[in-house]
């Protein structure tokens, strides 16, 4: 056999592309050449494959061996092609079943001793293979649990290259070696965060429940110690559990980020990057291999930016497009990477650099120009994409030091959120939307869902006076529908719209 073929997967973002690995032997000067737009890590696979094949008691041809990764125009990154390259190269000697390797996708990095090492991104890669019609995939032993999350796929977990060759018909001894395991992250004890711990912030808790019920973005502004961070970190605990499809999306992103994925976690993720994070850290980036940023890791969950005014304004403004589209596309020379980024944004900020502006009994030492500049770090277009703009005040000392607990617990709040989301789901059945925050504004302004003139009159006046933009107008409408769902009424009335106006900009209907 002069030519052998098998398959691997190239990832650009969360999108997987099947790559055909062709190995061909010619009567030219002996050598081992990999072509097809490989990066440096993939270009070095020749030496890894050569040593791994030798140590697995297999043989490579002594003639000219050329390995082509097709389509050649698609950039290939990383060491996950090693296993496929080795199998196709060995198969040119006629010792493997050509039909077997041609219908199998191989994913894995090779060590010099022939062991198969884990690689990131196995879950989206196996998904891509399944969508392309393949039924069998061979992955590293450490990635077996992750690969088995894809339904309907026959998964074989490989410990060594010799074991894989034996599965394809080679007569080769298989040594009993210790498999390479993924480095397990240090698991921190889960925090038991409950809304019952929040004392004296009834209005903020109600706003948090509204944000969870409709999937609305939220900004909390107030002095240090008012409880902004405390509230934000309790938001995931009142959100509904992820569906199986959503959990798979979150797991695929975690896999791309290099995390170990063994089981599906139905808890919405919470990402809280430091305020020194760059644009690339927030939205993703990289010169050769594009890595997901914080907004991608927060997909189907919460992105919490504490001390939001301390973030770079450029980094914050980079969030504007993903907030609207629910995804992020990163362009690099020769390819484009797409990541999902449908997250709920929660911002917390102080009113001024010292934090005491407007606080009763405290002295603010910031000059007026510094206060204006600090507030302007959150640009108007970004604020316009926020549904709930809430002022949070410090709790009175007498309440803060008392032993009372809040009347609202996370379990009670979660029940309210679940009931409100179920009402929204039934209402938007047959549309592309499931949450109020996702509904197109034009759809709410027209047809049967348009509010009566007397109900929307305060909202129309706010738009005419320039207090709201049309985008802000639509966001108030969405929030009003959420208030109606929480109240258990069929359509927002004057009370629900007034509450939505107040939460948006502090406007009184």
């Amino acid at each position: 056999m002069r030519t052998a073929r098998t398959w691997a997967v190239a990832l650009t973002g969360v999108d997987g592309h099947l790559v055909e690995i062709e190995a061909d032997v010619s009567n030219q000067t002996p050598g081992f050449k990999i072509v097809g737009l490989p990066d440096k890590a993939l270009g070095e696979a020749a030496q890894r494959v050569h040593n791994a094949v030798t140590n697995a008691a297999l043989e490579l041809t002594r003639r000219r061996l050329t390995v082509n990764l097709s389509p050649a125009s698609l950039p290939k990154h990383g060491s996950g092609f090693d296993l496929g390259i080795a199998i196709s190269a060995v198969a040119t000697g006629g010792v493997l079943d050509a039909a077997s390797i041609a219908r199998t996708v191989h994913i894995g990095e090779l060590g010099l001793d022939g062991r198969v090492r884990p690689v990131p991104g196995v879950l989206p890669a196996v998904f891509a293979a399944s969508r392309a019609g393949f039924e069998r995939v061979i992955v590293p032993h450490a990635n077996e649990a992750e690969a088995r999350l894809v339904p309907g796929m026959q998964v074989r977990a490989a410990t060594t290259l010799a074991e894989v060759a034996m599965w394809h018909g080679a007569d080769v001894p298989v040594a009993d070696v210790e498999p390479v395991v993924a480095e397990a992250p240090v698991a921190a004890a889960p925090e038991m965060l409950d809304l019952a711990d929040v004392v004296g912030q009834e209005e903020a808790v109600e706003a948090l429940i509204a944000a969870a019920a409709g999937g609305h973005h939220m900004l909390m502004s107030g002095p240090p110690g008012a409880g902004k961070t405390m509230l934000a970190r309790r938001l995931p605990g009142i959100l509904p559990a992820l569906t199986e499809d959503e959990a798979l999306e979150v797991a695929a992103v975690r896999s791309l980020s290099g995390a170990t994925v063994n089981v599906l976690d139905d808890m919405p993720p919470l990402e809280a990057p430091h305020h020194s994070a760059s644009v690339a850290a927030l939205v993703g980036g990289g010169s050769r291999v594009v890595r997901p940023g914080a907004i991608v890791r927060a997909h189907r969950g919460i992105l919490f930016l504490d001390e939001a005014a301390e973030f770079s304004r450029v980094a914050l403004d980079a969030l504007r497009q993903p907030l609207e589209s629910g995804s992020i596309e990163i362009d690099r020379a020769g390819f484009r990477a797409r990541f999902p980024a449908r997250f709920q944004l929660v911002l917390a900020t102080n009113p001024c650099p010292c934090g005491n502006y407007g606080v009763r009994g405290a002295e603010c030492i910031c000059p007026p120009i510094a206060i204006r500049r600090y507030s302007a770090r959150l640009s108007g277009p970004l604020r316009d994409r926020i549904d709930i703009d809430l002022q949070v005040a410090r709790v009175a000392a007498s309440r803060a030091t008392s032993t009372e607990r809040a009347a609202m617990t996370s379990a009670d709040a979660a029940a309210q959120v679940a009931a409100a989301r179920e009402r929204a789901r039934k209402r938007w059945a047959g549309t592309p939307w499931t949450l109020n925050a996702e509904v197109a504004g034009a759809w709410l302004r027209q047809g049967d869902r348009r509010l009566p003139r007397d109900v929307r009159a305060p909202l129309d006046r706010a738009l005419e006076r320039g207090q709201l933009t049309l985008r802000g107008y639509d966001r108030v409408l969405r929030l009003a529908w959420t208030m109606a769902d929480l109240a258990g009424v069929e359509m927002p009335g004057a009370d629900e719209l007034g509450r939505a106006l107040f939460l948006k900009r502090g406007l009184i209907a």
Side-chain angles (χ1 to χ4, degrees):
M1 183 187 299
R2 292 176 55 90
T3 304
R5 295 179 175 86
T6 190
W7 297 87
V9 180
L11 293 173
T12 53
V14 293
D15 298 322
H17 308 276
L18 269 293
V19 173
E20 186 178 23
I21 302 177
E22 300 175 291
D24 181 74
V25 175
S26 60
N27 294 322
Q28 301 176 11
T29 306
F32 193 155
K33 180 69 174 178
I34 298 175
V35 297
L37 212 56
D39 68 348
K40 184 173 178 58
L42 184 49
E44 294 172 344
Q47 191 60 53
R48 291 194 299 272
V49 168
H50 186 278
N51 286 59
V53 168
T54 301
N55 289 321
L58 296 165
E59 290 187 4
L60 280 182
T61 179
R62 297 182 181 274
R63 295 182 289 175
R64 179 80 172 180
L65 178 63
T66 303
V67 174
N68 179 44
L69 308 177
S70 180
S73 59
L74 178 71
K76 290 89 177 174
H77 308 286
S79 56
F81 294 86
D82 286 6
L83 184 58
I85 292 173
I87 289 298
S88 62
V90 171
T92 59
V95 296
L96 303 183
D97 183 349
S100 176
I101 67 171
R103 62 173 181 264
T104 305
V105 176
H106 297 84
I107 303 169
E109 176 185 335
L110 288 177
L112 298 182
D113 58 356
R115 290 191 298 172
V116 184
R117 298 180 176 274
V119 292
V122 165
L123 182 57
V126 177
F127 262 120
S130 178
R131 287 193 298 266
F134 285 88
E135 297 179 352
R136 184 169 65 184
V137 61
I138 295 178
V139 301
H141 180 275
N143 297 124
E144 178 182 9
E146 181 177 339
R148 292 193 183 279
L149 295 176
V150 180
M153 180 64 74
Q154 179 187 349
V155 177
R156 282 194 167 184
T159 301
T160 64
L161 175 60
E163 187 177 27
V164 178
M166 182 192 66
W167 292 338
H168 291 306
D171 184 12
V172 60
V174 178
D176 187 13
V177 299
E178 190 72 21
V180 179
V181 296
E183 182 177 353
V186 179
E191 295 181 278
M192 303 302 293
L193 303 178
D194 198 293
L195 280 177
D197 301 328
V198 180
V199 177
Q201 293 289 9
E202 289 81 5
E203 187 176 87
V205 169
E206 290 178 4
L208 198 72
I209 293 173
H216 301 289
H217 307 307
M218 185 176 185
L219 167 63
M220 291 182 285
S221 179
K228 304 183 296 295
T229 303
M230 187 179 190
L231 286 162
R233 291 194 174 276
R234 280 154 179 77
L235 180 56
I238 66 176
L239 292 175
L242 298 176
T243 65
E244 184 177 355
D245 289 343
E246 291 170 342
L248 282 170
E249 292 177 17
V250 173
V253 170
R254 291 184 57 205
S255 176
L256 281 172
S257 302
T260 302
V261 180
N262 293 324
V263 295
L264 291 182
D265 187 358
D266 62 1
M267 173 67 76
L270 171 67
E271 283 292 320
H274 191 262
H275 62 255
S276 62
S278 64
V279 176
L282 279 181
V283 304
S287 57
R288 294 183 179 271
V289 180
V290 178
R291 296 298 184 190
I295 67 172
V296 181
R297 297 193 300 273
H299 178 60
R300 300 296 182 185
I302 308 299
L303 177 66
F304 175 46
L305 302 185
D306 202 2
E307 305 294 345
E310 299 294 339
F311 280 79
S312 159
R313 180 164 179 170
V314 175
L316 289 175
D317 284 344
L319 302 177
R320 287 154 50 179
Q321 182 265 336
L323 285 174
E324 294 290 334
S325 65
S327 63
I328 181 70
E329 290 187 352
I330 301 173
D331 292 301
R332 292 294 181 268
F335 71 96
R336 170 181 294 178
R338 182 194 62 84
F339 295 101
R342 191 163 297 282
F343 58 93
Q344 193 171 342
L345 178 64
V346 178
L347 304 172
T349 184
N350 295 329
C352 68
C354 77
N356 290 327
Y357 178 68
V359 180
R360 181 180 300 176
E363 180 184 1
C364 177
I365 61 174
C366 305
I369 186 64
I371 297 174
R372 288 195 298 270
R373 285 176 177 170
Y374 195 78
S375 177
R377 291 187 181 182
L378 299 181
S379 67
L382 179 61
R383 285 180 177 268
D384 205 30
R385 288 166 168 81
I386 302 298
D387 302 325
I388 298 175
D389 191 342
L390 185 69
Q391 298 293 323
V392 183
R394 285 176 180 160
V395 180
S398 58
R399 296 195 65 182
T401 57
S402 69
T403 57
E404 70 171 300
R405 287 177 64 84
M408 182 66 68
T409 66
S410 288
D412 296 335
Q416 292 186 26
V417 170
R421 286 203 175 194
E422 180 61 19
R423 293 188 187 99
R425 185 190 65 80
K426 290 180 178 178
R427 181 172 58 252
W428 308 130
T431 73
W433 315 299
T434 56
L435 295 177
N436 293 327
E438 300 171 351
V439 181
W443 200 85
L444 293 176
R445 288 184 261 112
Q446 302 168 2
D448 297 339
R449 299 298 176 184
R450 189 180 187 187
L451 301 184
R453 184 185 300 273
D454 59 328
V455 173
R456 70 173 191 274
L459 184 58
D460 292 340
R461 287 197 299 270
L463 181 63
E464 292 167 0
R465 293 170 182 170
Q467 294 173 296
L468 288 173
T469 64
L470 186 57
R471 179 187 284 117
Y473 184 100
D474 292 340
R475 290 191 177 277
V476 173
L477 283 178
R478 296 179 185 121
L479 186 55
W481 278 100
T482 297
M483 304 309 296
D485 289 334
L486 287 169
V489 297
E490 291 297 321
M491 181 174 285
D495 291 343
E496 288 75 30
L497 186 66
R499 182 61 178 164
L501 272 169
F502 176 76
L503 289 176
K504 174 59 180 173
R505 284 294 176 96
L507 303 172
I508 305 298

